[in-house]
Amino acid sequence: WVEMGNTGTYDVLGIPGKTDIPNVVPPNVPTCRDCKKASGILVSILRKFFRVTTYECDETLLSKINNQKLLTSGYYKGQVDENGNEIPKIESYMKCSHGGFLDGSRDTPARGGINKDSRASLWSYYTDKSLHTRAADLATKATVDIMNDIRTDVSDDIKFLKFLGITTSTVTSIAYVIDTTGSMGDELPEIQAGIPEIRTRLQSYAASFGGDATVNYILVPFNDPDPGTTFITQDAEEFLTAIGNLFAFGGGDCPEPSLGALIRAIKASEPESPIYIFTDAPASDEYRLPEVEALAMSNMNTYTSVLTSGCFDRKRKRSKGNEHGLHRRQATGLELYNYLAMLSGGQVLNVQAADISELSSLISQSSQVLRSTIFFKLGSSSVSQVLTIPVDVTMNELLISIVGVNLTVQVHTPKGLLTTPVMGSEITLQTSTTFIAVLNVSSQAAGDSWNITLSSLGPYSVEVSALSSLSFQQYLYVLDTTNSVPEITSFEGRPTAGVPIIFNIVVIGSIGEAAEFSSVAVLDSSSGDALDVVNITGAEGDFFGAFLPPQMQTFQLQLLGKDIAENTISRISSVTFETTTIELQLGSGVPGLISRMPGETTEVDVLLYNMGESSTFGLSITSNNDEFSVTITPSQLTLATNDTGNATVTIAVPLESNAGETVTISIVASSTTDERTDFTSLEVLTSTTPPVNVTNVYPKVNTSEFFQLKLQLPGNVECEDWLRNDRISGITAEFLAIIGTLCSCEFTEDNIDVSEISCKSGSDAVLIRGTISYVTSGDTYSAIELRSLLSDWVQNGTRTLTVDGTVLSVNSTCPVPLESLQDTTCLVTQPTIPTETIAVWVWVVVGAVAAVLLVTLLIFICAVLVIIVK
C-alpha cells in the first residue's frame, strides 16, 4: 500500500468481520525479486555465530504489481491457517516475505522482506527508511479515524473519554466513605466541625482542574449491616450539607462492612481520584477484598483511611517479616487498611477523634491534582532514623506524613532545624502517633539536604509528597511469543514472576527544569528500599527500559534524575504491582471491548494458567454498574502446576442501558491456599443499533474483468450473416442486464468494452471477448463475488440471451487460467498488461527468433566450410 505511493489509509482494513480484500494478487503470480545480501561487521557476526543472513532491499516489489495497483503481503515462517496448518512459502512462486531476523521465510525466494516495522536494518530490510515513517503515519491516521468513528457513534465526549479510560480535567471526583455506627458518636461531630475548612479545600481542588471542570462529590455513609447508599452531587454545598446531616446510631458488634461501602465509592468515582475512609472499626466483609483489588487496579483510585482507636486490636500478633501487614491474606483489622493504602499509593492516618477536624484541611490538601509522591519508607525500629528527602526546583510545597508509636520527629532543611510548631509550615498536626506538616519549599530552599530524623517505639511509615508541575506516567509491557510473530504487548492484571517487563516512562510537565533523567528504581512497596536500579534510554521526556520483576513481591517504580541545579529528582508512581505465578486472561479471540444491545445476554470465556504450586482458585466477578447482571461459572478451579482451566462469564445488559454507556467487568482469581491472585477485565459498550453488516463495504477501487462469451446460434441462422448487422449494442445490453439481475446492482454500456466479436466452430456460434470496468464500492459487488455469480449462472443449466429477436444459448464452463480460454464463457480477474511490457516481450520474441536464425546460419556456413575443406 505504501510502496504504491498511497497517502491515504486503506479503509477496508480494520472493519470487524471483514475478510474479503479486493484486488489481491492471485496465488501463482510472482510479487517480489531477491534482495541482495547485506554487508558490515554486525552482519558478519550474525552470519558467523548465529547463521543469520540479513538483506538490503531496494525496489524488491515487482513494478508491475504496483503499476497494476494489486495488493500483496509478506509470508512469515510459522503462520497458520484457520485449521492450524502451517502456510508454507513456495519457492517457485517468488512471493514476498515479511523479513527481519526472526522470520524464517526470509531465505526462501524471493529472499529478503517488505515489512516497514522499524528503521533498524535487523528488523526491516528496506534501504529507504522513509517507508517506515510513511507506514507509521498511515497507521496512526487509521487509528485516529477508527476512534473518530466510535466517537461519532457514541455522540458524547465524556462517555467517549471514559470508554478510552482517559482522565482529563473535564471530570473528576472526590469521595468520602463515613462510618455512621454508634461508636462514631465522637468522630462524626469532629468531621462536621471541619466543614468550613473542607469547603475551602474543595474549592481549591476544583480550581486545580480548570474553571470548566466538573467535580463529582461522592458521599457513602455506611452502617451495620447496611453497606450504605451512594450520594453524588456536583454542588459542593449539597455535599457538605449531606455530611452535616449524618448522625451516629446502631451498629451492634465492632466490625463494620467498610469494604462494601468502599466498593460503592470506587464504582461511582472517576479514575485516579481520591477516596477517604473514616472509621473506628475493622472490616466485617474482608471476603470482598478481591473485588476491591480488581477495581483498584482498573480505576487507579487512592485510598486514605482516617482511623481512630475504636476497637482495633493494636496488639494483634503480626507475621514474621510482615510488620506492616502488607500481605493480602493476612490483611485483617488495621493491617487491611495498611494494605489498601499500599495497594493504591494512599495513607493510613491513626488519630484521636479530637484531631479529625484539624485533619480535614490536610485531607483536602493531599488531594491536589499536581501532588506527586517523592519518598516513602516503612520500618520497625526504636533506633533513631535519619531519612534524606530529595527536594528539587520544580516543587512549591511538601506534605510530610508520618505514622508510628510514641513518635519523635525533627525536620531539617538547608536553612537548619524546623522547630515545633514547624516554622514555615502552612498546617501542622503532631501527636504521639501522627506527624503531618505542609511546608512551603520556597521559604526554605531546594536541595538534597532536607532530612527527617525520627524515632518510633513500633512500626512506622513515612510518606512525602510534593506539589510540583513535574510528574510522569508509566506504561508496562511484556514480549508476547505465543504467536508466530513476537510482539510487545501491554499486560493487564499482575505481572508474572520471571517474565521481563519493558517499561515506557512519559514525563509530564516542566521538563525544561530537569537537566536529565538517568534511571528507574524498582522499590519494595513494603519497605521503600530499592530492589533494582535500571538505566533508561530516550529523550524529550520519553524513556524506555526493562527489568526482571521481583519474585512474589509488591513493587513500585521511581523515576530518578537531576534538575538544572544538580538536585536529585525523585517521582514515585502511586500504582503498586505484585508479581504472581498465575495468569488470568480473556479467551482466545475475545476483545477487551465488546458491543451489545440493551436486553442482550452474552457469554465470554476466560482462561486461568497456573505456573506455580498446585492449588484451588476461587473465581469472582464484579461490575462497576450494579444494573448489569454478571456471573461466572464455575466459581472454583483446581489446577496442578502448568495446568490450565477455563470458566464462562455471563453478562446481561439491562434494557434501560443508555447508548454509549461503557461498563467495566472485573474478574479475579485467588488461590485458597496461598497469596497468589490475578485479575483481568472486560468492557461492555451499550449500542442501540445492531452490528453493521460489512460484507458489502469496499474501498473505491478501479476493477477490470476480462470476459469471454460463446453464444450458440439457432440452426437456421448463419453466424456471418447475423453479424453483418451491428449486434454489439444488443449483446452488451443483454449481458449487462444479466449482471444487474445477478448482483442487484446497475451497470451501463460505459462499463463494458467489447474488443472482439467473431464466428467460431463452423460458423454456428459467436465468440465475444472484452472487459468489464467498474468501481467497487459499498453498493456494488467485488470482482470475486461477480465472478462467482456469473460462473454459477453459466454452470447451473443452459442460459440464453435474446438479441434482436434471436435466442442465443450459453452452455459453457469457465477455466480459470487465461491462457486456457478457448470457446468458453468466462469472467476472470486479469489486469491488462501494460503496453510497454507487451513491447518488451515483442522485442524479446523478435530477438529470440533472430538469434535462432543467426545460429542456424552459422551452423550452415560451418557445414559448407567443412565440405569445402574436405
Side-chain angles (χ1 to χ4, degrees), residues 141-381:
K141 185 179 185 302
T143 306
V144 172
D145 289 345
I146 289 176
M147 290 295 102
N148 279 330
D149 288 344
I150 297 173
R151 180 182 180 186
T152 301
D153 187 54
V154 172
S155 71
D156 186 316
D157 280 353
I158 299 299
K159 290 180 180 178
F160 176 67
L161 291 172
K162 191 168 184 178
F163 148 69
L164 293 178
I166 296 175
T167 300
T168 71
S169 60
T170 305
V171 60
T172 186
S173 65
I174 184 169
Y176 275 37
V177 179
I178 301 178
D179 183 351
T180 61
T181 58
S183 59
M184 289 286 288
D186 293 333
E187 286 83 353
L188 270 179
E190 292 295 328
I191 296 173
Q192 293 161 340
I195 284 178
E197 189 63 37
I198 294 174
R199 178 183 291 106
T200 302
R201 296 299 173 180
L202 288 179
Q203 292 169 349
S204 174
Y205 178 73
S208 67
F209 284 89
D212 59 345
T214 298
V215 179
N216 289 330
Y217 301 103
I218 302 164
L219 176 63
V220 183
F222 66 95
N223 210 290
D224 190 2
D226 180 16
T229 57
T230 305
F231 173 79
I232 305 175
T233 180
Q234 295 175 1
D235 187 330
E237 291 301 321
E238 285 187 6
F239 174 68
L240 297 174
T241 299
I243 294 177
N245 291 334
L246 296 177
F247 59 93
F249 68 99
D253 57 352
C254 185
E256 313 296 356
S258 56
L259 291 189
L262 176 58
I263 289 170
R264 288 185 178 273
I266 298 171
K267 290 180 177 181
S269 296
E270 296 299 318
E272 300 182 38
S273 61
I275 298 176
Y276 298 95
I277 307 164
F278 297 83
T279 185
D280 67 343
S284 61
D285 49 359
E286 295 166 347
Y287 66 92
R288 303 194 70 176
L289 183 56
E291 291 182 65
V292 175
E293 290 179 297
L295 291 170
M297 295 301 290
S298 62
N299 219 44
M300 298 295 183
N301 300 106
T302 56
Y303 313 135
T304 296
S305 300
V306 180
L307 308 179
T308 53
S309 56
C311 54
F312 282 107
D313 182 8
R314 298 181 184 276
K315 296 183 180 181
R316 161 190 279 276
K317 181 179 179 181
R318 295 182 176 87
S319 303
K320 185 177 181 181
N322 185 34
E323 293 86 352
H324 294 277
L326 299 181
H327 292 170
R328 182 183 61 83
R329 187 162 303 286
Q330 298 164 341
T332 58
L334 178 61
E335 295 171 352
L336 182 139
Y337 294 99
N338 286 330
Y339 176 75
L340 292 176
M342 182 211 65
L343 182 70
S344 66
Q347 290 180 289
V348 174
L349 303 176
N350 295 302
V351 297
Q352 300 298 317
D355 298 323
I356 291 180
S357 61
E358 187 174 354
L359 195 62
S360 297
S361 57
L362 287 166
I363 291 172
S364 298
Q365 186 78 7
S366 66
S367 64
Q368 294 186 57
V369 68
L370 296 178
R371 191 171 293 281
S372 301
T373 301
I374 63 170
F375 177 88
F376 76 91
K377 178 71 175 177
L378 294 89
S380 180
S381 174

Side-chain angles (χ1 to χ4, degrees), residues 532-555:
D532 192 10
V533 179
V534 296
N535 294 327
I536 55 178
T537 60
E540 298 181 357
D542 200 359
F543 302 98
F544 295 86
F547 66 95
L548 192 65
Q551 293 286 330
M552 301 301 294
Q553 196 166 357
T554 55
F555 65 90

Side-chain angles (χ1 to χ4, degrees), residues 60-106:
T60 183
L61 279 165
L62 300 181
S63 58
K64 68 178 182 179
I65 300 299
N66 283 344
N67 292 340
Q68 296 164 12
K69 302 299 183 184
L70 296 176
L71 292 174
T72 188
S73 188
Y75 280 82
Y76 196 99
K77 179 70 174 177
Q79 284 185 324
V80 296
D81 61 20
E82 61 271 20
N83 298 318
N85 302 314
E86 184 171 348
I87 304 173
K89 182 183 179 185
I90 301 175
E91 182 173 336
S92 60
Y93 283 4
M94 291 296 288
K95 291 290 188 177
C96 307
S97 283
H98 177 84
F101 76 97
L102 291 178
D103 177 18
S105 77
R106 68 185 180 279

Side-chain angles (χ1 to χ4, degrees), residues 424-446:
S425 66
E426 181 180 355
I427 307 167
T428 304
L429 173 67
Q430 186 164 10
T431 69
S432 62
T433 60
T434 304
F435 174 91
I436 299 177
V438 178
L439 306 177
N440 190 320
V441 174
S442 60
S443 68
Q444 304 296 320

